[in-house]
Amino acid sequence: MSTHRAHDTAPASVPAAEIRVRDMADADCEAVAGIRVRSWRTAYAGLMPASFLAALSIDEDAARRRERLARAGSSVVNVVAERAGDIVGWACHGPSRDDDLPPGEAELYAIYVHDGQLSTGVGRTLLHSCLDRCADAGYERIRLWVVKGNTRARGFYERAGFTPDGAEEPYEVDGELVPEVRYVRAVSL
């Protein structure tokens, strides 16, 4: 299980009003896949095998996004962030997938931000949208998994009030183990 990625904090000079968050549609899958693939290649350089990152395909990822979006139940929420009509980020959350947790907790599955939009408030706006939706759905706590060596993402989550909960778990990428840590926070602070 993996949640990878948030990459941004917003300078005070960038108004969040420029960012519009809406439900993801099938037509958004190509743009989201492009953001995801570029984000992986940037965020995980040196943390995952270079051959794996080089082999990532936007077309294949877009097909997976379409499939997952089509079969996502009402409990899985996919949102995109737009700025000036362009998709600049994506986030997904839903029920926790971890067996060691009590039922009724949420999990932030992913946040990805276009590399040209880092540190402009996109990630923060997506996160707040997810937290608001989790609160509306009755969740009290939200967890996420992040690659242990992804210091930028870990810093983003920590500034947003997440703390490591003590769980660590590696997953295999092209024969190499990539360690992840799990974070938690209350949905409403």
Side-chain angles (χ1 to χ4, degrees), residues 25-183:
D26 187 73
D28 302 325
C29 290
E30 182 87 18
V32 167
I35 290 168
R36 287 186 78 251
V37 167
R38 284 187 289 278
S39 292
W40 274 64
R41 288 179 178 154
T42 301
Y44 302 125
L47 300 175
M48 292 185 184
S51 59
F52 171 79
L53 296 173
L56 293 173
S57 162
I58 292 173
D59 290 338
E60 289 173 11
D61 192 80
R64 273 192 301 280
R65 292 301 111 224
R66 283 187 187 87
E67 178 186 314
R68 289 182 180 173
L69 189 62
R71 65 180 161 93
S74 61
S75 62
V76 175
V77 177
N78 285 273
V79 293
V80 293
E82 291 180 318
R83 179 175 268 153
D86 293 325
I87 294 175
V88 294
W90 166 72
C92 182
H93 72 272
S96 174
R97 300 171 289 180
D98 293 341
D99 295 334
D100 66 326
L101 300 175
E105 291 200 3
E107 180 177 345
L108 180 63
Y109 304 138
I111 289 183
Y112 292 90
V113 173
H114 185 285
D115 57 356
Q117 296 289 318
L118 298 176
S119 298
T120 68
V122 174
R124 186 176 62 201
T125 300
L126 282 166
L127 178 60
H128 287 296
S129 176
C130 290
L131 292 171
D132 289 345
R133 289 170 183 240
C134 284
D136 291 346
Y139 292 114
E140 292 183 16
R141 293 163 60 97
I142 186 167
R143 298 189 193 243
L144 60 86
W145 288 94
V146 62
V147 171
K148 191 172 188 174
N150 189 345
T151 56
R152 183 177 188 133
R154 291 182 72 178
F156 169 82
Y157 291 125
E158 289 167 6
R159 285 186 299 279
F162 285 88
T163 58
D165 72 0
E168 294 192 22
E169 183 176 296
Y171 70 100
E172 189 174 327
V173 177
D174 276 1
E176 290 186 29
L177 292 180
V178 177
E180 289 189 309
V181 295
R182 190 170 63 192
Y183 278 70

